[in-house]
Amino acid sequence: MAERADVVFVDGVRTPFGRAGEKGMYWGTRADDLVVKAITGLLERNPSLPKDRVDDVAIAATTQQGDQGLTLGRTAAILAGLPMSVPGFAIDRMCAGAMTAVTTTGAGIGFGQYDVVIAGGVEHMGRHPMGLDADPNPRFLTEGLVAGDALNMGNTAERLHDRFPELTKERSDRFGMRSQQKVQAAYEAGHLQPDLVPVAIRSEQGWGLATEDEGRRPGTTMEGLAQLKTPFRPHGRVSAGNASPLTDGATAAILANAKTAKELGLSVKMRMVSFGFAGVEPEVMGIGPIPSTERALKNAGLTIEDIGLFELNEAFAVQVLSFLDHFGIDDEDPRVNPWGGAIAIGHPLAASGVRLMIQLARQFELHPEVRYGLTAMCVGLGQGGSVIWENPHHKHYGKGR
């Protein structure tokens, strides 16, 4: 019988994230080509991994259609040059797609059924807007199960402002501005670029190379944010300045059994400690990471005080702020998104979970004094997802609590 194994995050990369739409840098690029580029870049960075040792490939996408459909994990594996013997599958948990790809395959490693897997996600929101051609069951409305506008994420964010009046527009705007500033500082320090895989892009001007995230606005000011429209509600509080933009991009990561990683000479950047997913009312889906984090902490036998670094997906500033308030964490706490987040970088839905992990792994290298870190995100239709990781650079790594 297979024994339980330690699950480690070996490495992760991503494409630069681009603005969705005709003016975005990936408008002329296929979605599957984006994730294939991430996988091939990942394999090139880890030459000691024999391609035939990959046991499965899990790739997430929210809108699984066209060039973003057709069992992406399998098609991407073939296109990335993995042997035909390597299987693959697709996953959809909306924004937590890549996170679920990691936890699902990671659980398979922990159960002793996989040694090495590739997990990631892609979202080409320019070609495949969220919910395109979806046909929600009429019972949602006729039986009053979900509010009619609960599928609009902006409306759910406005409701968080309603529910928690202390979450003001000024706090959200300031959080958004700080995200832009922190991402720019991380770029200037060279922290983000090492994990970006350049992508050849084609436009009317000819061929080019995508090397940086396209949606950054480092010159953001509070005065400028105050002037932005609130498209989801007249005199609302959610604007383009305190929400993540529509984004195209892909991510990919290698996970392994710790013993296999040692056998193959692979790096170990993090160890998976626990994870949790939880459901909440779809109308306020942004609070989802609160119960999912509580579940992950319980599963790990830890408390929020044990977490030394947080990578929280900034779908909306108000969503992160509700999490921070619940756990008694200050808006400016340096443990939270030290290099900024999705408000500046972008949020290509199903790809974002691994982007959080990539940044946490880099943070662990810089902070050996931190033992545990958290990646967490809200999920459409009223869910949250959280994963707790251990820092291999910490002096007590692998020694129990």
Side-chain angles (χ1 to χ4, degrees):
M1 181 179 292
E3 61 183 47
R4 180 169 175 172
D6 275 343
V7 183
V8 297
F9 184 95
V10 169
D11 196 13
V13 300
R14 65 180 179 89
T15 68
F17 289 173
R19 287 197 196 99
E22 293 187 30
K23 295 181 180 179
M25 61 187 183
Y26 293 135
W27 181 248
T29 305
R30 289 178 60 98
D32 48 11
D33 283 338
L34 282 175
V35 74
V36 167
K37 186 64 180 176
I39 294 173
T40 55
L42 182 66
L43 293 170
E44 287 169 6
R45 277 210 336 189
N46 294 273
S48 67
L49 172 62
K51 292 182 179 179
D52 62 359
R53 291 296 299 271
V54 177
D55 293 316
D56 216 339
V57 178
I59 300 297
T62 300
T63 307
Q64 296 189 14
Q65 57 175 217
D67 57 335
Q68 203 163 278
L70 201 61
T71 314
L72 263 172
R74 175 60 172 167
T75 55
I78 294 172
L79 292 166
L82 290 168
M84 289 296 177
S85 57
V86 177
F89 62 105
I91 277 183
D92 172 19
R93 200 198 293 263
M94 296 189 80
C95 310
M99 177 176 281
T100 304
V102 165
T103 57
T104 298
T105 55
I109 294 170
F111 191 52
Q113 306 306 298
Y114 295 139
D115 287 330
V116 181
V117 298
I118 292 175
V122 62
E123 210 74 55
H124 199 309
M125 299 183 75
R127 288 177 173 269
H128 309 289
M130 181 168 60
L132 183 67
D133 292 333
D135 181 18
N137 194 296
R139 288 182 52 219
F140 281 120
L141 298 183
T142 58
E143 297 182 18
L145 297 173
V146 175
D149 59 359
L151 290 177
N152 183 305
M153 299 304 124
N155 289 330
T156 69
E158 286 284 6
R159 284 203 183 91
L160 277 187
H161 281 289
D162 294 341
R163 179 174 287 198
F164 305 108
E166 64 274 17
L167 300 178
T168 62
K169 183 176 186 298
E170 181 183 3
R171 280 181 70 186
S172 284
D173 283 351
R174 189 169 302 282
F175 189 89
M177 179 184 71
R178 289 286 295 125
S179 181
Q180 295 283 359
Q181 293 170 345
K182 288 192 284 187
V183 168
Q184 184 62 24
Y187 260 97
E188 291 173 359
H191 290 317
L192 299 178
Q193 296 93 321
D195 296 318
L196 300 183
V197 177
V199 178
I201 52 176
R202 190 175 186 178
S203 67
E204 293 179 357
Q205 289 73 43
W207 285 95
L209 196 64
T211 60
E212 295 188 353
D213 299 311
E214 189 178 25
R216 297 165 14 241
R217 292 186 172 85
T220 298
T221 65
M222 289 295 287
E223 293 75 21
L225 292 173
Q227 304 303 315
L228 293 177
K229 296 178 180 178
T230 57
F232 306 107
R233 183 185 295 182
H235 316 294
R237 292 138 301 189
V238 178
S239 72
N242 57 38
S244 58
L246 300 178
T247 312
D248 304 332
T251 59
I254 296 169
L255 300 170
N257 178 325
K259 291 181 179 178
T260 304
K262 185 176 182 180
E263 171 203 339
L264 297 176
L266 298 170
S267 65
V268 172
K269 295 188 173 180
M270 304 190 291
R271 181 180 74 88
M272 187 187 296
V273 177
S274 70
F275 62 85
F277 293 95
V280 297
E281 301 99 324
E283 291 80 3
V284 286
M285 65 94 194
I287 63 170
I290 294 172
S292 65
T293 296
E294 290 173 338
R295 180 170 293 181
L297 288 168
K298 181 180 179 182
N299 290 344
L302 300 174
T303 69
I304 199 70
E305 286 75 26
D306 292 311
I307 306 299
L309 285 165
F310 296 82
E311 284 292 338
L312 308 176
N313 191 46
E314 299 170 357
F316 301 94
V318 66
Q319 171 262 314
V320 179
L321 293 172
S322 68
F323 178 98
L324 298 181
D325 277 9
H326 177 85
F327 287 110
I329 300 169
D330 188 79
D331 293 8
E332 301 277 342
D333 193 307
R335 298 174 297 167
V336 178
N337 296 4
W339 296 341
I343 289 173
I345 293 171
H347 174 28
L349 303 182
S352 286
V354 165
R355 198 270 302 167
L356 300 173
M357 297 167 195
I358 291 168
Q359 288 191 205
L360 180 61
R362 287 287 180 186
Q363 289 290 329
F364 274 168
E365 293 177 10
L366 296 177
H367 294 282
E369 76 282 5
V370 171
R371 185 169 183 185
Y372 298 109
L374 174 77
T375 54
M377 59 202 313
C378 62
V379 187
L381 292 179
Q383 299 184 82
S386 304
V387 189
I388 295 174
W389 302 90
E390 186 180 14
N391 185 354
H393 308 286
H394 190 272
K395 60 184 179 182
H396 296 309
Y397 173 71
K399 295 180 181 178
R401 268 301 312 272

